[in-house]
Amino acid sequence: INAEYMGMGVAMQGTGINAVMFYAPKFMALGGIQERMLGAVVIMAWNLVTALVALSLVDRLPRRTLLLSGIGLMAVSLLLMDPMYSAIESGKIGSAWCFVLLFVFVLGFEFGPGTLFAVVVNEILPHAVLATASPLVGMSMGVMGILVTFVFPSGVCDGLRRVLHLRHRGTPDMGLLLPLPA
């Protein structure tokens, strides 16, 4: 199996979906939503719904169209997140808007790389190695997911704080075992 196939599983974790899911309650708090965990559950339910819809479209629409539109939605939502949270903090728009870009990001993920990953991997791997290579690619994605889970909070939280204007005091965040640095 080529390293490029294994790299696909690693690259999948770089989409940012883990950050959105892990920090959904923080996003809700920044948006002024009182029931932060309920907001996180709503986002995760939205993730399930969009995944089911995307799965129904995989064989109906071209893969390229789904992938590029999904990545485009993800990029636009990330680019607009900071200005929107600034507008919420300044009172220019209501706090319910914090859901909009998160929902768009999750929609883009599921219509793009989230749903298409396994489909594309199974279509591009040579048939002779498919039975061995497909699980290895999935394993590389899982291993990278575990690494992202433990490295993300300490490696990226300063940038996340700047973008989202977070003020954290070093206590464990959202049930993660690693405390975020102050």
Side-chain angles (χ1 to χ4, degrees), residues 9-144:
V10 171
M12 180 67 170
Q13 296 302 319
T15 62
I17 193 67
N18 289 339
V20 168
M21 294 303 174
F22 289 160
Y23 287 92
K26 287 279 189 196
F27 295 133
M28 297 300 106
L30 286 170
I33 304 296
Q34 298 300 319
E35 297 293 329
R36 299 180 327 192
M37 291 309 285
L38 178 61
V41 169
V42 169
I43 289 172
M44 290 175 195
W46 174 249
N47 187 29
L48 175 65
V49 169
T50 55
L52 294 174
V53 172
L55 282 170
S56 72
L57 297 175
V58 165
D59 287 329
R60 296 181 189 169
L61 296 174
R63 312 266 195 272
R64 183 181 184 96
T65 301
L66 284 172
L67 187 60
L68 292 177
S69 62
I71 290 171
L73 286 171
M74 291 168 66
V76 167
S77 67
L78 288 176
L79 288 171
L80 295 176
M81 237 176 238
D82 185 48
M84 190 209 328
Y85 281 106
S86 295
I88 289 170
E89 283 183 341
S90 67
K92 294 178 183 173
I93 62 174
S95 62
W97 284 97
C98 70
F99 276 109
V100 174
L101 291 179
L102 292 174
F103 274 42
V104 170
F105 181 85
V106 170
L107 175 75
F109 176 79
E110 289 303 341
F111 273 54
T115 302
L116 290 175
F117 177 76
V119 174
V120 170
V121 164
N122 286 305
E123 288 176 351
I124 66 171
L125 285 171
H127 188 61
V129 298
L130 185 61
T132 304
S134 184
L136 286 174
V137 170
M139 183 186 71
S140 72
M141 186 172 72
V143 167
M144 193 61 186

